[in-house]
Amino acid sequence: MHVGLLIHGSLDRLTGGTLYDRKLVESLRAQGDQVTVVSLPERSYLASLADNASAALATRINRAGFDVLLQDEVIHPSVFRLNRRLDVPIVAIVHLLRISQHWPWWQRPIYRAIEKRYFESVDGLVCVNPSIRERIRNLIGDLPPTVIASPAGDHSTADIDDETIHRRAHEGPLRLLFVGNLSPLKNLHLVIEALGRMSSDDWQLDVYGSAVGAYGRRIKRRITQLGLNDRITLHGQVPQPVVLQALRNGHVLVMPSDPESYSIAYLEAMSWGLPVIAHRASDSAALITPGENGYRVDNPDALAEHIMRLGRDRDQLSDMSIAARAFFTRHATWAASMGRVRVFLLESWA
């Protein structure tokens, strides 16, 4: 099977969606399939719309001899019209709909119209969770052939056992982690506000992710205003081994993103035995059983309460940490999840 994958930018980017795409490419190639990645420049949404007029891009794809063309759905502004000129089955990989995100009121109808037209131009869907599928159904009505294939984890990476997790839970201040590029949807500001309301100072927060732009500056100012510079460290973007070492030593992942489709960061944290505090409105909240492997919150007061409880009761922290690790070990592997996608492609278009 010859598979094309159309993306913006590079598969080397450090995002959950890119990791998913990269794992799919690796899995298909391991099974003997030929995969050709077609990359378009990363540009603004408005600038990307011009790609639809590219006769050269349409010709390039039509002459490539693909059996099926995968498209990461974030590329939809580049192809929502161009897809009509392609002579190959098109399957969208959908991590998160743009219309599910928080935009000014006047932008929402524009994004909705373009995204709707995009989904009407594809022949199949790979959705990372059932909620994504239902949002697309609400947008366009009847769906094309669809498979649900959730993000997964490498069960051989986190070499940690229950005894180590239990011992770690009783050591030192409560070590909180946030892993992700700083953007408003990741809600680091909610975490900062919660920490500023806590009476306890027996904690530290380490943030791993790019902190550029207006939102990053806002976060830095607020940390200073609350007098938390000595307990919150913004590490910026760091190599993956540094993040893995932080997960090995950490206690809790605090990352209440909204929206969030299916957070690979949550799964990676649980693989190391870290309970996760998520936003209750996020699709990823489905990974969390409150009080067992994490909590779901929607305001700073609730977040502060859960953090203080885990800081005081280290036995509970230990139990939840071990439960988080157990949840991960029951979760699908990348091989199983990506295998579902390959079977779907073979049965439908190969």
Short mmCIF file of all heavy atoms in Angstrom, two decimals, residues 48-73:
data_model
loop_
_atom_site.label_atom_id
_atom_site.label_comp_id
_atom_site.label_asym_id
_atom_site.label_seq_id
_atom_site.Cartn_x
_atom_site.Cartn_y
_atom_site.Cartn_z
N SER A 48 -2.68 30.23 4.56
CA SER A 48 -2.84 28.84 4.12
C SER A 48 -3.97 28.68 3.12
O SER A 48 -3.95 27.74 2.30
CB SER A 48 -3.08 27.92 5.33
OG SER A 48 -1.96 27.89 6.18
N LEU A 49 -4.94 29.54 3.16
CA LEU A 49 -6.06 29.44 2.24
C LEU A 49 -5.61 29.52 0.78
O LEU A 49 -6.24 28.94 -0.10
CB LEU A 49 -7.09 30.55 2.52
CG LEU A 49 -7.75 30.53 3.90
CD1 LEU A 49 -8.65 31.75 4.07
CD2 LEU A 49 -8.57 29.25 4.09
N ALA A 50 -4.48 30.19 0.54
CA ALA A 50 -3.99 30.34 -0.84
C ALA A 50 -3.56 29.02 -1.44
O ALA A 50 -3.53 28.88 -2.68
CB ALA A 50 -2.83 31.34 -0.86
N ASP A 51 -3.23 28.02 -0.61
CA ASP A 51 -2.80 26.72 -1.14
C ASP A 51 -3.89 26.07 -1.97
O ASP A 51 -3.60 25.23 -2.84
CB ASP A 51 -2.42 25.79 0.00
CG ASP A 51 -1.16 26.24 0.73
OD1 ASP A 51 -0.28 26.81 0.08
OD2 ASP A 51 -1.07 26.02 1.95
N ASN A 52 -5.14 26.41 -1.73
CA ASN A 52 -6.24 25.80 -2.48
C ASN A 52 -6.19 26.12 -3.97
O ASN A 52 -6.76 25.39 -4.78
CB ASN A 52 -7.58 26.27 -1.90
CG ASN A 52 -7.89 25.65 -0.56
OD1 ASN A 52 -8.36 24.53 -0.46
ND2 ASN A 52 -7.58 26.40 0.51
N ALA A 53 -5.51 27.20 -4.33
CA ALA A 53 -5.41 27.60 -5.73
C ALA A 53 -4.19 27.02 -6.42
O ALA A 53 -3.95 27.31 -7.60
CB ALA A 53 -5.39 29.12 -5.84
N SER A 54 -3.43 26.15 -5.72
CA SER A 54 -2.17 25.64 -6.27
C SER A 54 -2.40 24.47 -7.21
O SER A 54 -2.65 23.33 -6.76
CB SER A 54 -1.23 25.22 -5.13
OG SER A 54 -0.07 24.60 -5.63
N ALA A 55 -2.31 24.74 -8.50
CA ALA A 55 -2.42 23.66 -9.49
C ALA A 55 -1.24 22.70 -9.36
O ALA A 55 -1.37 21.49 -9.58
CB ALA A 55 -2.49 24.24 -10.89
N ALA A 56 -0.07 23.24 -8.99
CA ALA A 56 1.13 22.40 -8.87
C ALA A 56 0.96 21.38 -7.75
O ALA A 56 1.37 20.21 -7.90
CB ALA A 56 2.35 23.28 -8.61
N LEU A 57 0.37 21.78 -6.64
CA LEU A 57 0.17 20.85 -5.53
C LEU A 57 -0.81 19.75 -5.92
O LEU A 57 -0.58 18.56 -5.64
CB LEU A 57 -0.35 21.60 -4.30
CG LEU A 57 -0.67 20.74 -3.07
CD1 LEU A 57 0.56 19.97 -2.60
CD2 LEU A 57 -1.22 21.62 -1.94
N ALA A 58 -1.90 20.12 -6.58
CA ALA A 58 -2.87 19.11 -7.01
C ALA A 58 -2.24 18.13 -7.99
O ALA A 58 -2.44 16.91 -7.89
CB ALA A 58 -4.08 19.80 -7.64
N THR A 59 -1.46 18.65 -8.92
CA THR A 59 -0.80 17.79 -9.90
C THR A 59 0.21 16.86 -9.22
O THR A 59 0.29 15.66 -9.54
CB THR A 59 -0.08 18.64 -10.95
OG1 THR A 59 -1.03 19.45 -11.64
CG2 THR A 59 0.65 17.76 -11.96
N ARG A 60 0.97 17.40 -8.28
CA ARG A 60 1.96 16.60 -7.57
C ARG A 60 1.30 15.42 -6.86
O ARG A 60 1.81 14.29 -6.92
CB ARG A 60 2.69 17.48 -6.55
CG ARG A 60 3.71 16.74 -5.70
CD ARG A 60 4.29 17.67 -4.65
NE ARG A 60 5.21 16.97 -3.76
CZ ARG A 60 5.75 17.52 -2.67
NH1 ARG A 60 5.45 18.77 -2.33
NH2 ARG A 60 6.58 16.82 -1.91
N ILE A 61 0.20 15.67 -6.19
CA ILE A 61 -0.48 14.60 -5.45
C ILE A 61 -1.11 13.60 -6.41
O ILE A 61 -0.99 12.38 -6.23
CB ILE A 61 -1.53 15.20 -4.50
CG1 ILE A 61 -0.84 16.00 -3.39
CG2 ILE A 61 -2.42 14.11 -3.90
CD1 ILE A 61 -1.78 16.78 -2.50
N ASN A 62 -1.75 14.08 -7.46
CA ASN A 62 -2.41 13.18 -8.40
C ASN A 62 -1.43 12.28 -9.14
O ASN A 62 -1.78 11.16 -9.53
CB ASN A 62 -3.25 13.98 -9.40
CG ASN A 62 -4.53 14.53 -8.79
OD1 ASN A 62 -5.07 13.95 -7.84
ND2 ASN A 62 -5.03 15.63 -9.32
N ARG A 63 -0.21 12.75 -9.33
CA ARG A 63 0.79 11.96 -10.06
C ARG A 63 1.61 11.05 -9.15
O ARG A 63 2.43 10.28 -9.64
CB ARG A 63 1.73 12.90 -10.82
CG ARG A 63 1.06 13.62 -12.00
CD ARG A 63 2.05 14.53 -12.70
NE ARG A 63 1.46 15.14 -13.89
CZ ARG A 63 2.06 16.04 -14.65
NH1 ARG A 63 3.32 16.42 -14.36
NH2 ARG A 63 1.47 16.56 -15.71
N ALA A 64 1.39 11.13 -7.83
CA ALA A 64 2.23 10.38 -6.89
C ALA A 64 1.88 8.90 -6.84
O ALA A 64 2.67 8.09 -6.35
CB ALA A 64 2.11 10.98 -5.49
N GLY A 65 0.70 8.52 -7.30
CA GLY A 65 0.31 7.12 -7.29
C GLY A 65 -0.08 6.60 -5.92
O GLY A 65 0.07 5.40 -5.63
N PHE A 66 -0.62 7.47 -5.06
CA PHE A 66 -1.05 7.03 -3.74
C PHE A 66 -2.29 6.15 -3.85
O PHE A 66 -3.20 6.41 -4.64
CB PHE A 66 -1.40 8.23 -2.85
CG PHE A 66 -0.26 9.18 -2.59
CD1 PHE A 66 -0.45 10.55 -2.67
CD2 PHE A 66 1.00 8.70 -2.26
CE1 PHE A 66 0.59 11.42 -2.42
CE2 PHE A 66 2.04 9.56 -2.02
CZ PHE A 66 1.84 10.94 -2.11
N ASP A 67 -2.34 5.12 -3.00
CA ASP A 67 -3.58 4.36 -2.83
C ASP A 67 -4.56 5.11 -1.96
O ASP A 67 -5.78 5.01 -2.13
CB ASP A 67 -3.28 2.99 -2.21
CG ASP A 67 -2.43 2.12 -3.12
OD1 ASP A 67 -2.85 1.91 -4.29
OD2 ASP A 67 -1.37 1.66 -2.68
N VAL A 68 -4.03 5.88 -1.02
CA VAL A 68 -4.85 6.69 -0.13
C VAL A 68 -4.00 7.86 0.36
O VAL A 68 -2.78 7.72 0.54
CB VAL A 68 -5.40 5.86 1.05
CG1 VAL A 68 -4.27 5.32 1.91
CG2 VAL A 68 -6.39 6.65 1.88
N LEU A 69 -4.63 9.00 0.55
CA LEU A 69 -3.93 10.18 1.05
C LEU A 69 -4.47 10.53 2.43
O LEU A 69 -5.65 10.85 2.60
CB LEU A 69 -4.15 11.37 0.11
CG LEU A 69 -3.55 12.71 0.58
CD1 LEU A 69 -2.02 12.63 0.62
CD2 LEU A 69 -4.00 13.86 -0.33
N LEU A 70 -3.59 10.45 3.44
CA LEU A 70 -3.93 10.88 4.78
C LEU A 70 -3.66 12.38 4.89
O LEU A 70 -2.69 12.88 4.33
CB LEU A 70 -3.10 10.14 5.82
CG LEU A 70 -3.22 8.62 5.86
CD1 LEU A 70 -2.23 8.04 6.86
CD2 LEU A 70 -4.63 8.21 6.22
N GLN A 71 -4.51 13.07 5.63
CA GLN A 71 -4.31 14.49 5.88
C GLN A 71 -4.51 14.75 7.37
O GLN A 71 -5.56 14.42 7.91
CB GLN A 71 -5.30 15.35 5.09
CG GLN A 71 -5.13 15.26 3.58
CD GLN A 71 -6.17 16.08 2.83
OE1 GLN A 71 -7.20 16.48 3.39
NE2 GLN A 71 -5.92 16.32 1.55
N ASP A 72 -3.49 15.33 8.03
CA ASP A 72 -3.72 15.80 9.38
C ASP A 72 -4.71 16.95 9.28
O ASP A 72 -4.49 17.91 8.55
CB ASP A 72 -2.41 16.28 10.01
CG ASP A 72 -2.56 16.57 11.49
OD1 ASP A 72 -3.48 17.35 11.84
OD2 ASP A 72 -1.78 16.04 12.30
N GLU A 73 -5.80 16.87 10.03
CA GLU A 73 -6.91 17.81 9.85
C GLU A 73 -6.53 19.26 10.07
O GLU A 73 -7.20 20.16 9.55
CB GLU A 73 -8.06 17.42 10.80
CG GLU A 73 -9.39 18.07 10.47
CD GLU A 73 -9.60 19.39 11.19
OE1 GLU A 73 -8.82 19.70 12.11
OE2 GLU A 73 -10.55 20.13 10.82
#
